[in-house]
Amino acid sequence: MAGSRLEKFGTVFTRVRDLMRSGVIKSSDKPIWYDVFSAFPPKKEPLYVKPQSRSYIKKEETVLNIYYREDEIRAKFYEVYGTGPRVFDLSKSNFFSTCERFVEKYKELKCSGKLDEAALFEETGKALLAEGIVLRRRGGPMTI
């Protein structure tokens, strides 16, 4: 009993009492609360009761899908242009991928309101080409 440090095996009082009986703790070193607890024990013995888990009832957690308008633009970008010839440089904190530049330019052109939805995607690609960003369609010739 004295070697157990888990609360589920006996109470603190019974462990201290047993340590005093065995001589590990001297009467002069007993805790301050020991005499009070032995004089006024609780009406109900404090016991450790393991909480019951209801593992047989499995609650299905549903996570809602979150879609943004930019996600549709990104999906179409990757469908048309792929990931591109360069890898993402995540070591730089100010790195913007070609896709992110495309999305920003797309939103900028959309806010101007001059183009309809059908031509907006193609015009965004042309605007990036004018800025020096070359986009290569999937399945097209490989240029370096």
Side-chain angles (χ1 to χ4, degrees):
M1 190 77 134
S4 173
R5 293 181 183 239
L6 297 175
E7 293 179 7
K8 59 184 175 181
F9 297 115
T11 63
V12 176
F13 176 75
T14 58
R15 285 184 277 155
V16 170
R17 182 193 64 207
D18 293 341
L19 287 171
M20 288 175 60
R21 284 183 185 168
S22 65
V24 175
I25 296 178
K26 299 175 187 166
S27 295
S28 59
D29 294 335
K30 67 182 171 187
I32 294 174
W33 53 263
Y34 184 80
D35 291 329
V36 175
F37 194 89
S38 59
F40 304 103
K43 293 180 181 179
K44 183 179 176 187
E45 187 71 22
L47 296 175
Y48 175 80
V49 178
K50 185 177 179 180
Q52 294 181 354
S53 63
R54 295 184 174 186
S55 60
Y56 57 89
I57 298 175
K58 188 171 185 178
K59 182 180 178 184
E60 187 173 323
E61 295 181 21
T62 58
V63 178
L64 300 175
N65 293 328
I66 301 173
Y67 292 108
Y68 296 100
R69 176 72 178 130
E70 294 86 17
D71 293 339
E72 295 172 7
I73 301 167
R74 285 185 191 96
K76 189 172 181 183
F77 175 85
Y78 284 120
E79 182 181 318
V80 173
Y81 297 110
T83 57
R86 296 186 310 172
V87 295
F88 294 154
D89 188 7
L90 300 177
S91 63
K92 298 177 182 175
S93 63
N94 59 352
F95 175 76
F96 289 103
S97 68
T98 307
C99 180
E100 290 303 314
R101 293 175 194 261
F102 187 89
V103 169
E104 291 298 319
K105 183 58 85 171
Y106 185 95
K107 290 194 303 189
E108 180 184 315
L109 291 175
K110 187 175 182 176
C111 288
S112 68
K114 297 177 182 177
L115 300 170
D116 61 338
E117 289 287 330
L120 190 57
F121 193 83
E122 293 298 325
E123 291 300 319
T124 304
K126 290 177 186 176
L128 285 179
L129 183 60
E131 292 180 5
I133 299 172
V134 180
L135 299 175
R136 186 179 60 85
R137 290 190 178 270
R138 276 187 159 184
M142 184 72 166
T143 57
I144 298 177

